[in-house]
Amino acid sequence: ATQLVITQQSSATATAGMTFAVQPVVKEEDAFGNVITSDSTNTVTATRSSHGSASLQGSNLTVTLANGVATFSGLSYDVAETMNLAFTTNAGAFAAASNDIVVSPASATQLVVTQQPSATATAGVTFAVQPVVKEEDTFGNVIAGDSTSTVTAACGTHGSANLQGSSLTVTLVNGVATFSGLSYDLAETMNLTFTTNAGAFAAASND
């Protein structure tokens, strides 16, 4: 054996957290392309290769060759980015890399306050730091394809008056809601709550 050859590439596109629709198949071959059919002992391990930033997911990242063939199942990836796979084996110092896989975010499940409003403010004066809220899937991927849904800011569970501002509802831009001009007229401790028409989930700011 001198090489690993990917005879079935994984899906070219995938969704974060979902198993690839097409799973890879890798063969152990000699220099002439003959499969080492006598090898049902050595293993092949799949990992994230040179493209991507996170770990490959799956309960069977290492599989035992069956007549020189490693058939993977259940592989997935949680980060919305372009990545590829690397395959190594204990049969020798040779490896193989897959084609790129473009991973898209899963469905939106949360709002995340990525820039908190000012920790202190003056009644009637716009907060020096305005909040920024992102729409994300369960893995923390921003739903960059959403520039249609809206996010609405209001006074949260702390405070007794209405939040002030001419733009309490803003439209997402590539999954990001950037607020401006928010203020509060009552001298007390308060916080903000954010809701969206994209789903039944919300977020609260610091006090």
Side-chain angles (χ1 to χ4, degrees):
T2 63
Q3 59 184 345
L4 293 178
V5 176
I6 303 169
T7 56
Q8 178 169 286
Q9 294 282 344
S10 301
S11 313
T13 59
T15 299
M18 301 290 291
T19 55
F20 302 149
V22 179
Q23 297 284 316
V25 176
V26 180
K27 293 184 178 180
E28 177 193 25
E29 297 181 353
D30 67 14
F32 309 103
N34 300 299
V35 179
I36 312 301
T37 57
S38 60
D39 191 348
S40 294
T41 304
N42 289 309
T43 59
V44 177
T45 298
T47 59
R48 191 262 304 165
S49 188
S50 56
H51 299 167
S53 60
S55 297
L56 182 65
Q57 303 296 312
S59 58
N60 295 302
L61 298 181
T62 298
V63 300
T64 302
L65 290 163
N67 300 321
V69 181
T71 303
F72 288 86
S73 62
L75 301 185
S76 65
Y77 194 70
D78 291 349
V79 178
E81 62 183 357
T82 298
M83 58 86 66
N84 67 337
L85 306 177
F87 300 96
T88 56
T89 177
N90 61 351
F94 41 87
S98 77
N99 296 340
D100 283 347
I101 302 167
V102 179
V103 182
S104 300
S107 299
T109 62
Q110 59 184 348
L111 293 179
V112 176
V113 183
T114 56
Q115 178 170 287
Q116 294 285 342
S118 312
T120 60
T122 300
V125 178
T126 56
F127 304 148
V129 179
Q130 297 285 315
V132 176
V133 179
K134 293 184 179 181
E135 176 193 23
E136 298 182 351
D137 67 13
T138 191
F139 306 105
N141 298 301
V142 178
I143 312 300
D146 191 350
S147 293
T148 305
S149 300
T150 60
V151 177
T152 298
C155 180
T157 55
H158 301 166
S160 57
N162 291 325
L163 183 66
Q164 303 297 312
S166 59
S167 299
L168 299 182
T169 297
V170 300
T171 302
L172 291 164
V173 176
N174 300 324
V176 181
T178 303
F179 288 86
S180 61
L182 302 184
S183 64
Y184 196 68
D185 292 348
L186 194 59
E188 63 179 356
T189 297
M190 57 85 67
N191 71 338
L192 306 180
T193 187
F194 302 96
T195 56
T196 177
N197 62 355
F201 41 88
S205 76
N206 295 340
D207 283 348

